[in-house]
Amino acid sequence: MRSFRPEDKLSRAQEILSTEIDQETILMSIDAGAYYGLKGPARSIWEKLEIPITFSALVDLLVKEYRITPEACAADLKGFLAEMEREGLLHVE
């Protein structure tokens, strides 16, 4: 699994289209010809990626929102972000 450093800046990939439908965020990648549906925590993460944010700041926000430990949050978040990056949905600096 990809390792994210606390200072890594995360943001949405610019070429992804998104819309909101009935408590779900629908993403579409024209380049990949694929679409994705995000609900719950995944949707919350996507919303927070609208403005570039560091990995550690994202963990802090999610810990407060979902009342989980920073360790559990970081572990789950790394897996989700790695998948987003593989799909071309996430930009990492």
Side-chain angles (χ1 to χ4, degrees):
M1 180 183 336
R2 186 193 197 302
S3 179
F4 291 91
R5 297 170 302 170
E7 67 275 8
D8 283 346
K9 281 218 170 192
L10 313 171
S11 61
R12 298 175 181 179
Q14 296 295 322
E15 57 278 356
I16 303 300
L17 304 173
S18 68
T19 191
E20 308 293 321
I21 301 175
D22 295 329
Q23 303 297 315
E24 184 174 13
T25 299
I26 307 299
L27 309 178
M28 182 164 185
S29 171
I30 302 295
D31 293 339
Y35 70 93
Y36 312 86
L38 304 177
K39 293 182 179 181
R43 182 178 186 205
S44 177
I45 292 166
W46 181 256
E47 290 170 357
K48 289 169 179 52
L49 292 172
E50 183 174 8
I51 298 170
I53 186 171
T54 63
F55 179 79
S56 63
L58 183 56
V59 168
D60 290 344
L61 289 174
L62 294 170
V63 164
K64 290 175 188 167
E65 185 173 346
Y66 292 101
R67 298 182 183 187
I68 59 175
T69 66
E71 297 79 18
C73 181
D76 290 346
L77 187 56
K78 284 177 184 178
F80 179 69
L81 292 176
E83 185 177 339
M84 286 183 68
E85 188 176 30
R86 273 193 308 275
E87 295 294 323
L89 305 173
L90 178 70
H91 178 72
V92 181
E93 289 182 41

